[in-house]
Structure formats: C-alpha cells, structure tokens
C-alpha cells in the first residue's frame, strides 16, 4: 500500500483543529482539507502510475507548497514596507533607505511570484488571480486616470482601501498588482528618492491631468500591496489547505472567497492533484496530472509565454519581424517590469519555476529521486537528456542577458534577446514532447 505522506497526514490531522476550512461526513470520518470524505488512495496506482503518484506528491509538497508559502510571507513583508513608507512620510521622516527597503521587499515577492508561474493552472487561473495581480504592460494612461480621479483617491483613504481597490478596478485593471506597485517604487531601474513623494507626479503620462500628489501614490501603494497580499494568501490556502499559515487562513475566511478546486469540489488544489483518478478530482488519471504539470497548462505554458510574448513581442517589433498573429499586432512596449528594469530576471525566474517543477525541489543543482526528470530517465524516455540540455541552455542564455547590464526595455532588439527567445522556445518543444510521452504511459 502506498504511504499517505505529507499532504495527507497534515491535512487529515489538521481537520480536527481547524473547522472553518473543512467539514466532516455524517459518520465523522476525517476529510482531506475540504468537504468530501477521504477516499482510499493507497492501492489506486500500481507500476509506472505509482511512480507518477510519487512524482506528483514530491512536486506538490516540495515545490508548490513552499513556493506559495514563501510568496505569501514575502507579500506580508511588502505590505508592511508599504505601510512603513506611508507612515514615515506622514511623519516627515521618510528616507531613501525606507524606499529601498520597500523595493527589496518588492523584489523578493516578485521572485516567488515568477517562480510560481509554472503552476498557474490552479487557483491563479481559476480565480483570475494572475491577471488581477500581474497584468502588464502597465497602462500608464489608466494609472494617470486612477490617480487623478477624486473618487478613486478618496477611496484610497477610506476605512478599507484594500477592499476599495479590489472592488473598484474595472477601468483601472492594469494599474493594480505588482506593476502598479513597481511604478510607484521604481523609475529608470532604480528606487525613487524619498524626496519625490513630497511633490507632484511628473511622469509624461500625467502631463495633461490635474496635478497628482506623490503622497497619494503612497496611499495607492498601501492599498494595492494589501490587495496583492490577500491574493497571495488565497493562493497559499487554495493549494495548501490546512497546511497554510493559520493567520492567512483566517484572513481568507474573512474575505469570504472560494479556495477549492473545480469551483468548490471540496478539495484544495494540492489534494485535488494527489487524488487524481478518484471521484471528484479534476484529474481523470495520475497521467493527466503529470501532463498538466509538464505540458501546455504548466511548464509548457510559461515557456511558451516567455518565448512568444514576454520576449517575443517587443523583439519582433524591434527587429522588424512579423507578428505571430496578423490579427493581433505586436507592441514594442509589451515589456514586463520596465520601471525596475528587471525583465530578464523575471524571465529567468520563470524558467527556474520550470526547473523546480521538473526537479521536484527548490533551486537545487540535481533533481530529486522522485522528480519528473528522474522519472523520465528511469523509465527510458529517449528525450530526457534533450530536455535537460534545453533547460540548461534557456537558463544560460537568460543568465547572459541578466549579466550583460543591458536591460530588455533599453534594447529589446538586441541579439541576446533573440538568442534567449530561441532557447526558451526550444525548451517548450522539449516539454511538449515529454508531456506527450507521459500521456501514453
């Protein structure tokens, strides 16, 4: 019988103590972090499928869970640093060091977010948390409209500014999330000076608007950082269930938002994947779960986006190449993180998210014994070494971009961008092939 490890042990024990996120059946059986009884999983899979389950278990517990825990914790710090900036400015004591501390907190949260993008197929997509927190490029006109709208600014000083920006963003959706925060904290690749928050916003997109006080941008910073924090909590709870931080669970419960897979099927997302093939799970088989992990919904999804969109759009415009879709022209300003000039770092972190997912660990040099990479090698997949080589090459090309000192926003047509794009595209091809092989096992 397969041992019920990590997620099962903790969630089943946690169900005794935390009742707001679980419910018991009529005969008081424990539940798997949700509203349905724990089905027997011990003898569900045999042979190669049993190995696949071990891979999924390692991935959920040692990649997804710690990434979302770290993301939620870093979002906590980002919010606290935003509050500190506003309070210090109100007291007349804001320093460049305070701004720099907030920028460092932003960078930490961004790293964990980008390293989670190989598993956006879960709650981040189902609940539209990805576009809500990470829409880009920032529409500078939207940002100017938001900050020059007296009703919006008043909402930033309301009793609950976090709820205000969450509920009043229909016309300002790109101004929220990480890139709205980036706009307030960074300019031209560096933290802004504390002194600018004593004056008015001078960005060109604000030129024809009523004067916007930079002090009001600090109120925006706090509200949006709080909204990002709450959504990071929701991601953590949605995947970890009762393993999530208790304070974060309480905040999510207070928000009254859904956290279960498949529109409230009774399972948190980690449990949903590990219950593949059982009644109620969104995965018909354990093969389907691993295909999701590796293929076009998971690792392949972010590889394709980095190559064709994150690098591809601006690179194609800069070099005169045609758009991939003639009905949707590329844009030269379709560049992520231009104000902090951390685009290449973001893109490399996306590839690290793929590496972590394939290796079954976080930022380690070698794959875990129960990882996708080890599984492929041990079971005779002929493309395993090609996949490894493509992964290494994508990381190497993006590392060269990071180390070049040439920001993507400053020269999107540089050859290094094209080289990185081609390497990541090749990685996507290898991920597609691996997913197709897994599906047939």
């Amino acid at each position: 019988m397969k041992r019920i490890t990590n997620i099962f042990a903790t969630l089943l024990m946690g169900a005794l103590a935390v009742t707001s996120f679980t419910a018991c059946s009529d005969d008081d059986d424990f539940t798997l972090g949700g509203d349905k009884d724990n089905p027997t999983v011990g003898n569900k899979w045999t042979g190669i499928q049993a190995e696949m389950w071990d891979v999924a278990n390692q991935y959920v517990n040692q990649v997804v869970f710690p990434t979302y825990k770290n993301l939620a914790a870093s979002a906590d710090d980002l919010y606290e640093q935003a509050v500190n900036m506003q309070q210090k400015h109100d007291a007349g004591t804001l320093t460049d060091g305070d701004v720099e501390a907030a920028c460092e907190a932003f960078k930490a949260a961004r790293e964990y977010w980008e390293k989670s993008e190989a598993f956006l197929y879960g709650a981040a997509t189902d609940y539209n948390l990805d576009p809500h927190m990470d829409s880009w490029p920032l529409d500078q006109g939207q940002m100017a409209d938001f900050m020059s709208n007296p009703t919006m600014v008043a909402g930033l000083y309301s009793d609950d500014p976090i709820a205000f920006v969450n509920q009043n963003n229909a016309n300002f959706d790109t101004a929220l999330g990480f890139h709205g925060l980036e706009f307030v904290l960074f300019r031209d690749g560096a933290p802004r000076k504390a002194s600018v928050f004593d004056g008015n916003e001078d960005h060109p997109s604000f030129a024809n608007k009523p004067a916007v006080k930079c002090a009001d941008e600090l109120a925006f910073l706090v509200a949006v950082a709080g909204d990002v924090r709450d959504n990071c909590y929701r991601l953590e709870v949605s995947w970890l269930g009762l393993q999530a931080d208790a304070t974060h669970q309480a905040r999510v419960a207070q928000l009254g938002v859904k956290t279960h897979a498949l529109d409230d099927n009774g399972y948190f997302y980690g449990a949903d994947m590990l219950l593949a093939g059982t009644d109620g799970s969104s995965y018909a088989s354990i093969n389907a779960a691993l295909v999701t992990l590796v293929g076009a919904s998971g690792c392949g999804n972010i590889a394709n986006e980095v190559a064709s969109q994150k690098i591809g759009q601006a690179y194609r415009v800069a070099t005169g190449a045609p758009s991939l879709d003639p009905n949707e022209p590329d844009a030269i300003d379709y560049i992520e993180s231009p104000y902090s000039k951390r685009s290449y770092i973001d893109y490399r972190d996306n590839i690290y998210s793929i590496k972590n997912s394939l290796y079954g660990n976080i930022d380690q040099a070698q794959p875990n014994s129960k990882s996708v990479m080890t599984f492929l090698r041990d079971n005779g997949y002929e493309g395993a070494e090609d996949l490894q080589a493509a992964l290494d090459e994508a990381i190497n090309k993006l590392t060269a971009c990071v180390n070049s000192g040439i920001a993507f926003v400053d020269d999107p047509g540089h050859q290094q961008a094209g080289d990185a794009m081609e390497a990541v595209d090749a990685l996507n091809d290898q991920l597609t092939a691996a997913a197709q092989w897994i599906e047939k096992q």
Side-chain angles (χ1 to χ4, degrees):
M1 178 178 288
K2 188 178 300 296
R3 289 182 296 115
I4 303 178
T5 58
N6 292 330
I7 180 175
F8 296 109
T10 304
L11 288 183
L12 297 181
M13 292 174 64
L16 288 171
V18 183
T19 59
S20 62
F21 283 84
T22 186
C24 290
S25 65
D26 292 338
D27 58 1
D28 290 328
D29 286 341
F30 296 143
T31 59
L32 193 64
D35 305 321
K36 295 188 177 183
D37 293 341
N38 173 29
T40 301
V41 297
N43 60 358
K44 177 65 182 179
W45 303 113
T46 58
I48 195 170
Q49 276 75 32
E51 293 181 45
M52 290 184 187
W53 190 91
D54 286 339
V55 169
N57 188 46
Q58 176 71 18
Y59 163 76
V60 166
N61 281 281
Q62 302 303 326
V63 178
V64 180
F65 281 11
T67 300
Y68 278 142
K69 281 185 176 181
N70 288 332
L71 175 62
S74 65
D76 259 335
D77 186 41
L78 176 56
Y79 176 68
E80 290 170 2
Q81 293 296 336
V83 170
N84 178 66
M85 280 186 64
Q86 186 182 36
Q87 290 179 342
K88 291 282 187 68
H89 184 268
D90 288 348
T93 59
L94 181 68
T95 67
D96 290 345
D98 295 320
V99 182
E100 290 162 7
C103 289
E104 290 303 310
F106 173 88
K107 292 177 187 178
R110 279 298 291 174
E111 177 180 348
Y112 289 122
W113 170 257
E114 295 300 309
K115 286 183 176 179
S116 78
E117 291 206 344
F119 33 94
L120 288 178
Y121 56 82
T125 293
D126 290 352
Y127 298 127
N128 293 315
L129 303 184
D130 175 31
H132 183 79
M133 288 196 291
D134 198 34
S135 287
W136 55 272
L138 172 71
D139 186 324
Q140 295 170 353
Q142 279 193 354
M143 186 72 175
D145 288 343
F146 186 105
M147 294 307 305
S148 60
N149 184 317
T151 301
M152 294 298 106
V153 173
L156 299 177
Y157 294 96
S158 65
D159 290 339
D160 193 346
I162 297 173
F164 178 83
V165 297
N166 183 277
Q167 297 164 10
N168 293 275
N169 63 76
N171 297 318
F172 313 107
D173 53 337
T174 78
L176 300 188
F178 282 110
H179 297 295
L181 301 177
E182 181 196 9
F183 180 85
V184 174
L185 291 171
F186 295 89
R187 296 294 164 83
D188 198 28
R192 297 171 78 184
K193 297 297 183 182
S195 58
V196 305
F197 296 102
D198 294 328
N200 293 335
E201 178 59 67
D202 62 359
H203 191 275
S205 60
F206 288 68
N208 297 318
K209 302 291 181 181
V212 170
K213 295 188 296 183
C214 291
D216 290 339
E217 292 182 354
L218 293 178
F220 172 89
L221 184 76
V222 170
V224 175
D227 183 52
V228 166
R229 178 205 64 186
D230 286 351
N231 283 292
C232 291
Y233 286 178
R234 189 180 182 187
L235 282 168
E236 179 193 14
V237 172
S238 294
W239 272 91
L240 278 70
L242 303 178
Q243 292 194 55
D245 180 274
T247 302
H248 301 174
Q249 291 187 51
R251 174 59 176 168
V252 171
Q254 181 185 25
L255 294 170
V257 293
K258 290 183 177 181
T259 54
H260 290 156
L262 261 188
D263 195 21
D264 214 17
N265 70 349
Y267 303 140
F268 294 109
Y269 282 83
D272 183 56
M273 175 169 275
L274 296 186
L275 290 171
T278 65
D279 268 353
S281 171
S282 60
Y283 300 97
S285 67
I286 193 62
N287 300 61
L290 259 63
V291 167
T292 296
L293 188 169
V294 175
S297 295
C299 294
N301 175 61
I302 191 58
N304 178 63
E305 184 182 355
V306 170
S308 67
Q309 302 300 317
K310 290 191 175 190
I311 300 175
Q313 281 215 31
Y315 178 77
R316 288 190 293 271
V317 174
T319 58
S323 301
L324 294 181
D325 183 349
N327 296 316
E328 295 186 14
D330 291 331
I332 191 66
D333 65 347
Y334 196 77
I335 295 175
E336 192 170 23
S337 302
Y339 310 108
S340 61
K341 295 191 176 182
R342 292 175 58 82
S343 305
Y344 284 131
I345 294 173
D346 282 358
Y347 307 158
R348 185 177 61 178
D349 283 340
N350 287 160
I351 308 308
Y352 283 147
S353 75
I354 295 173
K355 180 181 178 181
N356 292 343
S357 297
L358 297 179
Y359 275 32
N361 52 39
I362 302 291
D363 298 338
Q364 298 298 307
Q366 299 297 324
N368 184 271
S369 62
K370 294 181 178 179
S371 66
V372 172
M373 286 302 305
T374 301
F375 169 79
L376 293 173
R377 286 168 172 151
D378 288 353
N379 286 281
Y381 174 55
E382 293 181 355
E385 298 313 315
D386 291 335
L387 174 58
Q388 181 67 66
L391 175 64
D392 292 342
E393 182 70 357
I395 292 172
N396 290 340
K397 292 299 186 184
L398 283 166
T399 296
C401 293
V402 171
N403 293 340
S404 72
I406 303 170
F408 184 51
V409 68
D410 291 337
D411 192 354
H414 197 285
Q415 184 60 46
Q416 67 179 6
D419 292 343
M421 180 180 69
E422 290 180 4
V424 178
D425 193 45
L427 172 60
N428 183 38
D429 290 343
Q430 291 299 324
L431 291 165
T432 299
Q436 290 171 345
W437 183 86
I438 291 168
E439 188 174 24
K440 296 175 183 176
Q441 302 312 301

